[in-house]
Amino acid sequence: MKDHETFQYLKQFLTAERLQKIEHFAQESSDFVLPVMEDVYQFRNAAAIVRSVEACGFHKIIAMESQNVFNPNLRVTKGAETWVEVEKIPHHVDHLKEIRNRGYKMVAVSPEKNAKLLPEYQITEPVALVFGTELEGVTQEILDFADETLAIPMYGFTKSFNVSVAAAICVYELKQKLLKSNIDYKLSEEKLLKLKIRWAVNSIRSGEEILKKYLLEN
């Protein structure tokens, strides 16, 4: 109820057009597929990943950071960063355990360990897709930790796709599989309201301050 009242309050600061977009696109949002990026260092890749994930209706990314900061180039995201939440965590398996505890199967996108091919892959439960670094791919530690591996078929001399391309292919293909399934992959009402609040705040000038003041007073 409190989240409902909060969103109702924030709506007054939104244009009719922005409110319509939030209501429309929130209905298709899902966290059934959760991309996890392993220390991506090229800002163009980070931006392209954010843009592709948002276009497929998934609005959260986990960025594992050690040597590099996940910092998308805003000219490449085309505004997608407004809608996609990036949760940054240290680059360590212990933090992946916490994601698994949220109910996700850990799937490393890599051809190792008898990987299942993407076209034949059956998605039946929430999956956290782990993508490796640009140069080395998924680290051995995470390969050992993963529940299974997933590979994108290759038909040329090149052995791998760029990480942002691989992420786009995987999230798009899995979205198509979900659309054709009977799985209830969309957000719960509670998560949906929290998403709308976050989108509203990001759409309002000084949105964080407005929200903070409202919560303090209520």
Side-chain angles (χ1 to χ4, degrees):
M1 180 61 72
K2 188 171 182 60
D3 282 342
H4 176 75
E5 293 172 350
T6 300
F7 183 59
Q8 292 301 312
Y9 172 77
L10 293 173
K11 283 166 65 172
Q12 68 181 301
F13 300 99
L14 299 170
T15 64
E17 180 182 11
R18 179 52 62 96
L19 178 59
Q20 189 275 331
K21 286 183 176 181
I22 288 175
E23 294 284 8
H24 176 76
F25 290 111
Q27 296 305 315
E28 189 55 43
S29 184
S30 172
D31 59 359
F32 208 84
V33 175
L34 180 65
V36 179
M37 315 312 301
E38 224 192 323
D39 210 31
V40 169
Y41 67 87
Q42 293 187 0
F43 60 84
R44 286 188 175 275
N45 280 336
I49 291 162
V50 168
R51 188 172 172 180
S52 296
V53 168
E54 197 287 320
C56 291
F58 302 112
H59 293 103
K60 184 162 185 173
I61 291 173
I62 303 290
M64 301 181 73
E65 297 180 338
S66 57
Q67 300 179 28
N68 306 297
V69 175
F70 190 88
N71 185 27
N73 181 310
L74 300 187
R75 287 183 296 176
V76 180
T77 62
K78 299 295 185 181
E81 77 286 347
T82 300
W83 315 112
V84 177
E85 177 186 3
V86 178
E87 179 183 346
K88 297 185 177 184
I89 63 174
H91 189 269
H92 196 280
V93 165
D94 284 346
H95 294 276
L96 290 183
K97 292 177 182 177
E98 194 274 327
I99 295 172
R100 178 184 276 162
N101 290 338
R102 299 181 198 177
Y104 287 95
K105 175 186 283 188
M106 304 305 302
V107 180
V109 180
S110 176
E112 286 86 0
K113 295 178 64 178
N114 298 314
K116 297 179 180 178
L117 293 179
L118 180 60
E120 288 80 46
Y121 185 76
Q122 298 298 314
I123 180 168
T124 58
E125 60 186 297
V127 296
L129 287 180
V130 185
F131 297 89
T133 61
E134 285 93 338
L135 292 177
E136 299 179 1
V138 180
T139 58
Q140 188 61 49
E141 183 181 30
I142 291 179
L143 281 174
D144 293 339
F145 175 78
D147 298 308
E148 59 186 353
T149 53
L150 181 65
I152 303 171
M154 307 293 296
Y155 305 103
F157 291 104
T158 304
K159 293 183 178 180
S160 64
F161 286 106
N162 171 280
V163 64
S164 64
V165 174
I169 292 171
C170 288
V171 295
Y172 182 83
E173 181 71 17
L174 292 181
K175 179 58 178 282
Q176 298 309 303
K177 291 176 184 291
L178 288 172
L179 287 170
K180 296 172 185 176
S181 75
N182 294 318
I183 296 171
D184 182 12
Y185 64 87
K186 296 183 182 180
L187 298 178
S188 66
E189 278 300 317
E190 181 182 359
K191 289 182 176 180
L192 190 63
L193 264 176
K194 291 185 182 301
L195 178 74
K196 289 180 181 180
I197 290 170
R198 183 164 59 80
W199 284 1
V201 168
N202 289 347
S203 299
I204 301 167
R205 181 172 297 187
S206 302
E208 292 285 355
E209 290 78 5
I210 290 172
L211 176 62
K212 183 177 180 180
K213 184 174 185 292
Y214 171 80
L215 293 176
L216 285 173
E217 294 175 351
N218 294 272

